Amino acid sequence: MTVTKSAEDMVAEADTGARQAGTFANTLIFALCIAWSLFQLYIASKLPGVLAQATGVSMFANIVAQARFVHLAFAIALATLAFPIFGHRNRIPAYDWALVILGVSSCLYLVVFRFQIADRPGLWSTSDIVMSAIGMTVLLIAVYRSLGLPLVVIASLFLALAFFGGYSEWVGSITNYGGSSFSKAMGHYWMQTEGVFGVALGVSTSMIFLFVLFGALLEKAGGGNWFIKVAISLLGTLRGGPAKAAVLSSMMTGMISGSSIANTVTTGTFTIPLMKRIGFSSEKAGAVEVASSTNGQLTPPVMGAAAFLMVEYVNIPYIEVVKHAFLPAVISYIALLYIVHLESLKLRLEGLKKPGRHIGIMMILILFLTGFLGMAAITFIVVAFRAVLEPIMPGATVYPALVLLAAAYLGLVYLASKYPDLKVDDPNAKAVSAPRLTPTFLGGAYFALPIFVLIWNLMVRTEHLDRLSPALSAFWATIAMIIVALTHRPLKAIFRGESEFADQAKAGFVDFVAGLESGARNMIGIGVATGAAGIIVGTISLTGAHQIIGQVIEVISGGNLIILLVLVAILSLILGMGLPTTANYIVVSSLMAPVIVSVGAQSGLIVPLIAVHLFVFYFGILADDTPPVGLAAYAAAAISRGDPIKTGVQGFAYDIRTALLPFMFIFNTDLLLIDVGPLKAVFVFFMSLIAMLTFAAVTQGYFIAKIRKWEGAVMLLVVFMLFRPDFFLDQWQEKYTNYTGQAAITAVGDIPVGTDARITVSAPDFDTGIVGTKTVVFAPEAEGSGLERLQAVGLSVMEDGDMLVLEEPFPGTPFFESLANEYDFYGNDPAQIAVVQIENDRMPKEIFFIPALILLLMIVGLQSRRMTQAPF
């Protein structure tokens, strides 16, 4: 297949807008981008409050509360102007100007008339309904032109359900939804924060934009090139070095990038030609870059914007999201490095040449460990420094810390001035070699300081220091990045004694402005996507649509959790082919997360909500390289000149290891570091890493030598034993002792405080009347009898012979949402506690790691006899 579009064109069409309509239109789009970025910085700062207090004009502060309306107005205007429709790429037709005016007016209507709207909640006027209908229409058109048809179709289907679902007896019997009038629905979607302007758009406004802007500024200032060159200098000389460098550089840029397509082009423009030069085929070179770039969204702190949505949807602190997502992301990337290494072994490839001393694999590991420990040491020193100053200047230790930060920046820029500036190399040059590490690293080490500021504010917490919110963390990191972008060039000119200070200062300002523009352009798709996803979420709250989808999926899966997970994975992949990752995550998690948790509870498996959300998110990401639509694969193929379908197929083959992880952490939450201490976390990491590397070897058909079929089967058994050791322990020793009737009450009274008890409730379904079961976990917080302990958490139990009749939990008690909203406590069949399960004292499940490792060592021994080349 011939690729006719350049990778840059694909990024423009998919992410940033491909219209080039002359000087006036380009200037207008540019001005709107700059204004949007500056507006987002303004509302994230303390300026609105300061200006309101200084001038007495409340509008300065009120705009923050109205920010999501202005945010969507910018997104709709830019989507309409920057993304052509009907092929009008070189001009902006009259209907687009009309759509811009209508779209912006419908959003700002909510700002201008906010007081009148607040005085008549739910009593929508004719103008309210007209503006809502216009806004919804223009939004869906903006989504179509910037993201394509799939999200428009899905949102339209949910709108149809809202308007016509009341005519269906089946829908009504499941959801008790009697239908909605046009005015009620429009008001629900547009005039309040239940629909378009809901949680998703709010997160896009307050958090996502700042992180995307931070990444854009870092890229335009030269940080992206620094990442690539450091990765090449570290790994370029190893076997298949450019491919390994592609993985590392994509991980580093992916941490702060919200787009797998842009990530593919940013790093792939340099790494793909290098991979081809050392012997990778066009398709494999593109596939490595695609797998690396899509997986960049798995890596905290940004995670393609999903991390911030999880904070709202799962209702846990941001630092907890990062903690749960960290281990699977690291394991996935190390496994991808290993896959690249195995491909290099099969192809007998070499690395790039390099001037000076070569760095071996052990030295690279030592450098990584040293860097990690060095960052930890710096963090400890700064924390200690502020702790010492806290009694002297309480609440003001940030100012000496800023002085330290400024000194560190000046020192690193001074060091960088001693080396040549990092330039973007031509990967197609006749002679390409890996750069030396020291001048490359020191030549741009100051780019790491804004990232340090970001991570510090997000994660560091002590007795005297509180973590900042993600929004504030991103704001201060962005301010630090702006300072770097504006000053690093002129400062280096001063330190070098050059006379080009003015030119370098101008170049820094150009980088800053380009970053503001790029950040806004990168947000267009996310802005309209989160608004459109709000239509789906709003329909769910209006109609109870998740119950319909949930019942259909439950019927198809037969209540089997494994089948349900496979169906959800397939649904995520299919939707993800046409939706951006963020929108796909919102849609599928809103529909399916409650269903997975419910089906798990019915089968006796307590699935943490964060595990479900990460499961959906992982498969949404995999859609970016899933044929036939995966846009990242098309972008990579445009660079490699390979077949995009073959590139996508190969990229998905590399990503099979990523597809395994979500299934594993659903059943083994140790991978998400849930209730895992530091020492056990290290142990879990190494065992999980061995399992993932073994699985990667099986997928590649090569370990130390070519894998025979029976060896592959044994290795898959090893993988299962390492990921699910509890499965084998459960076959040997019963995990729980079951108690019923009076014995169950006694057992609840006897367990120590804080020990979990699993309570299986049997009750008729609220809608169907069919008796079902659900398992909940309860841990007593104080001493007492069994009845007293249950009563303390809202579970009132009456003994009726051998039956433990359960009364409806009161609102506000822990199990009200999970039981009272699902089951009928006043039907003919009484709700009751069917069984109480107390975990037995068993041998540790980790005992099964021993036979697994022995089997793996046996495979190593057998394959070493057939080895024809060094494994590293």
Side-chain angles (χ1 to χ4, degrees):
M1 181 180 292
T2 302
V3 179
T4 58
K5 296 179 182 178
S6 71
E8 289 76 9
D9 287 340
M10 288 185 178
V11 173
E13 291 181 8
D15 277 0
T16 60
R19 177 173 269 154
Q20 297 294 328
T23 303
F24 174 74
N26 291 341
T27 302
L28 177 60
I29 292 171
F30 172 79
L32 284 174
C33 288
I34 301 301
W36 193 10
S37 292
L38 293 177
F39 170 76
Q40 294 290 156
L41 287 170
Y42 169 74
I43 62 171
S45 70
K46 294 184 179 180
L47 275 176
V50 172
L51 291 175
Q53 188 173 7
T55 62
V57 179
S58 61
M59 184 60 189
F60 285 116
N62 287 339
I63 194 63
V64 177
Q66 312 299 318
R68 62 183 69 183
F69 307 129
V70 180
H71 180 84
L72 186 60
F74 272 115
I76 288 176
L78 283 168
T80 305
L81 292 173
F83 290 86
I85 195 172
F86 304 134
H88 294 141
R89 183 168 181 172
N90 298 319
R91 67 184 181 89
I92 300 178
Y95 61 80
D96 275 353
W97 290 113
L99 288 173
V100 169
I101 294 170
L102 290 172
V104 172
S105 299
S106 60
C107 292
L108 297 187
Y109 176 84
L110 298 168
V111 178
V112 175
F113 297 102
R114 62 189 183 281
F115 297 117
Q116 294 91 323
I117 293 170
D119 289 339
R120 43 182 162 79
L123 303 174
W124 314 122
S125 67
T126 302
S127 61
D128 293 341
I129 303 308
V130 169
M131 295 306 291
S132 298
I134 290 172
M136 292 279 287
T137 303
V138 177
L139 172 62
L140 289 175
I141 294 172
V143 170
Y144 170 69
R145 66 202 312 157
S146 59
L147 298 172
L149 193 58
L151 184 54
V152 177
V153 171
I154 294 170
S156 299
L157 289 174
F158 277 85
L159 286 173
L161 176 64
F163 290 125
F164 306 114
Y167 296 105
S168 168
E169 292 184 7
W170 177 64
V171 171
S173 65
I174 296 175
T175 64
N176 296 320
Y177 175 63
S180 173
S181 66
F182 183 78
S183 60
K184 178 183 177 181
M186 286 297 102
H188 183 81
Y189 287 124
W190 195 264
M191 300 302 297
Q192 54 192 18
T193 56
E194 294 290 328
V196 171
F197 299 101
V199 171
L201 190 68
V203 172
S204 175
T205 305
S206 61
M207 298 186 217
I208 297 174
F209 193 106
L210 290 172
F211 279 87
V212 172
L213 178 61
F214 174 78
L217 287 165
L218 181 62
E219 171 63 31
K220 295 300 181 182
N225 182 50
W226 179 65
F227 283 150
I228 294 171
K229 300 201 80 166
V230 168
I232 291 285
S233 64
L234 266 174
L235 305 177
T237 60
L238 300 179
R239 191 189 294 269
K244 293 173 181 173
V247 175
L248 182 60
S249 59
S250 293
M251 182 189 74
M252 291 190 290
T253 56
M255 286 192 296
I256 53 174
S257 170
S259 169
S260 57
I261 302 172
N263 195 3
T264 297
V265 173
T266 300
T267 57
T269 301
F270 186 76
T271 58
I272 289 175
L274 290 182
M275 284 188 268
K276 289 177 64 178
R277 170 163 295 188
I278 65 168
F280 277 88
S281 67
S282 297
E283 287 74 22
K284 286 191 175 182
V288 168
E289 185 57 53
V290 168
S292 305
S293 297
T294 54
N295 280 199
Q297 293 186 75
L298 302 177
T299 313
V302 176
M303 295 170 59
F308 316 116
L309 291 164
M310 286 182 196
V311 170
E312 300 295 329
Y313 289 154
V314 186
N315 195 27
I316 61 176
Y318 175 81
I319 190 66
E320 289 295 309
V321 173
V322 171
K323 183 184 82 170
H324 298 320
F326 178 75
L327 195 60
V330 172
I331 291 172
S332 180
Y333 260 107
I334 294 176
L336 183 55
L337 279 169
Y338 184 59
I339 286 174
V340 167
H341 178 73
L342 293 176
E343 286 281 20
S344 302
L345 283 174
K346 290 192 291 184
L347 297 172
R348 297 182 177 273
L349 303 181
E350 299 297 331
L352 296 175
K353 303 297 181 184
K354 180 179 180 181
R357 183 168 59 93
H358 284 212
I359 302 175
I361 186 68
M362 288 305 300
M363 180 56 67
I364 291 172
L365 293 175
I366 291 171
L367 287 172
F368 271 109
L369 181 60
T370 303
F372 177 79
L373 294 176
M375 292 296 291
I378 292 170
T379 302
F380 177 79
I381 291 169
V382 176
V383 167
F385 174 71
R386 294 186 65 174
V388 169
L389 292 179
E390 183 65 28
I392 303 171
M393 43 193 313
T397 59
V398 65
Y399 300 109
L402 288 175
V403 172
L404 280 180
L405 182 66
Y409 174 58
L410 290 173
L412 289 173
V413 173
Y414 176 77
L415 280 176
S417 70
K418 302 302 179 183
Y419 301 99
D421 287 337
L422 299 176
K423 298 186 182 299
V424 179
D425 295 327
D426 180 8
N428 297 306
K430 291 183 178 180
V432 178
S433 61
R436 293 184 59 203
L437 177 60
T438 301
T440 302
F441 178 77
L442 294 180
Y446 53 85
F447 286 122
L449 286 178
I451 300 174
F452 178 78
V453 171
L454 175 64
I455 295 174
W456 169 282
N457 288 330
L458 284 172
M459 299 187 179
V460 174
R461 182 179 183 181
T462 67
E463 181 182 353
H464 304 293
L465 299 173
D466 284 329
R467 300 186 191 100
L468 298 184
S469 67
L472 268 179
S473 300
F475 172 76
W476 289 117
T478 303
I479 295 299
M481 192 62 241
I482 289 172
I483 293 171
V484 170
L486 289 171
T487 62
H488 76 106
R489 293 179 186 273
L491 282 175
K492 282 192 283 189
I494 292 173
F495 289 140
R496 289 168 178 164
E498 297 173 347
S499 59
E500 300 175 352
F501 175 82
D503 291 339
Q504 294 298 329
K506 181 180 177 181
F509 183 75
V510 169
D511 289 342
F512 164 62
V513 173
L516 293 180
E517 181 190 13
S518 178
R521 280 185 173 271
N522 291 340
M523 273 300 300
I524 296 172
I526 296 176
V528 296
T530 50
I535 296 174
I536 297 161
V537 176
T539 302
I540 292 171
S541 64
L542 181 65
T543 66
H546 64 285
Q547 298 178 41
I548 303 170
I549 305 294
Q551 188 175 89
V552 171
I553 296 292
E554 281 188 54
V555 169
I556 295 174
S557 66
N560 184 292
L561 184 60
I562 292 290
I563 297 175
L564 174 63
L565 291 173
V566 171
L567 291 174
V568 172
I570 294 171
L571 177 64
S572 298
L573 287 173
I574 293 173
L575 290 178
M577 290 182 193
L579 301 183
T581 305
T582 305
N584 183 26
Y585 163 71
I586 295 170
V587 172
V588 182
S589 64
S590 300
L591 291 173
M592 299 311 306
V595 179
I596 295 174
V597 172
S598 175
V599 172
Q602 291 171 17
S603 60
L605 179 67
I606 307 300
V607 184
L609 193 56
I610 183 65
V612 177
H613 279 257
L614 284 172
F615 181 94
V616 169
F617 177 58
Y618 265 58
F619 279 99
I621 285 174
L622 290 177
D624 276 348
D625 60 9
T626 303
V629 183
L631 293 179
Y634 279 82
I639 300 171
S640 70
R641 304 301 175 194
D643 186 302
I645 300 297
K646 291 180 180 178
T647 300
V649 170
Q650 186 66 60
F652 188 77
Y654 290 154
D655 269 342
I656 289 176
R657 83 210 184 282
T658 305
L660 174 70
L661 276 171
F663 285 96
M664 291 299 101
F665 59 58
I666 286 287
F667 294 98
N668 182 7
T669 56
D670 287 354
L671 287 169
L672 301 180
L673 301 182
I674 296 176
D675 298 327
V676 172
L679 290 178
K680 186 176 180 181
V682 174
F683 183 71
V684 168
F685 168 73
F686 281 108
M687 290 297 105
S688 301
L689 181 59
I690 292 171
M692 184 54 70
L693 296 183
T694 304
F695 181 76
V698 174
T699 63
Q700 295 305 302
Y702 195 95
F703 188 31
I704 297 173
K706 186 176 180 180
I707 296 175
R708 293 169 177 167
K709 289 182 179 180
W710 71 268
E711 290 175 335
V714 173
M715 292 172 74
L716 288 177
L717 176 62
V718 169
V719 172
F720 187 76
M721 292 175 72
L722 292 175
F723 271 132
R724 286 290 315 277
D726 53 330
F727 174 83
F728 297 93
L729 183 59
D730 291 345
Q731 311 309 310
W732 187 9
Q733 295 179 332
E734 290 291 336
K735 186 172 184 179
Y736 299 103
T737 298
N738 297 331
Y739 299 91
T740 59
Q742 177 58 45
I745 300 298
T746 303
V748 171
D750 290 342
I751 60 175
V753 173
T755 301
D756 286 345
R758 291 160 53 92
I759 299 175
T760 299
V761 175
S762 172
D765 184 88
F766 192 83
D767 297 310
T768 65
I770 299 173
V771 175
T773 61
K774 184 168 189 175
T775 302
V776 296
V777 175
F778 147 74
E781 298 179 353
E783 297 291 349
S785 67
L787 291 175
E788 291 171 342
R789 285 177 159 185
L790 292 170
Q791 182 69 44
V793 292
L795 297 178
S796 298
V797 178
M798 295 184 299
E799 296 184 55
D800 184 4
D802 290 333
M803 185 184 302
L804 301 178
V805 179
L806 186 64
E807 296 183 0
E808 181 179 12
F810 289 108
T813 56
F815 301 107
F816 175 75
E817 292 289 336
S818 58
L819 294 178
N821 288 346
E822 293 186 27
Y823 295 105
D824 184 1
F825 285 80
Y826 304 100
N828 294 328
D829 296 308
Q832 59 179 303
I833 294 179
V835 64
V836 170
Q837 296 179 315
I838 308 296
E839 188 168 357
N840 294 320
D841 185 15
R842 305 187 298 173
M843 69 171 59
K845 62 184 179 182
E846 289 78 12
I847 196 72
F848 287 94
F849 289 161
I850 296 174
L853 294 176
I854 291 173
L855 284 174
L856 186 60
L857 288 174
M858 288 173 58
I859 297 294
V860 170
L862 289 170
Q863 288 204 356
S864 62
R865 300 175 184 175
R866 308 197 307 271
M867 184 173 62
T868 58
Q869 56 183 324
F872 293 100

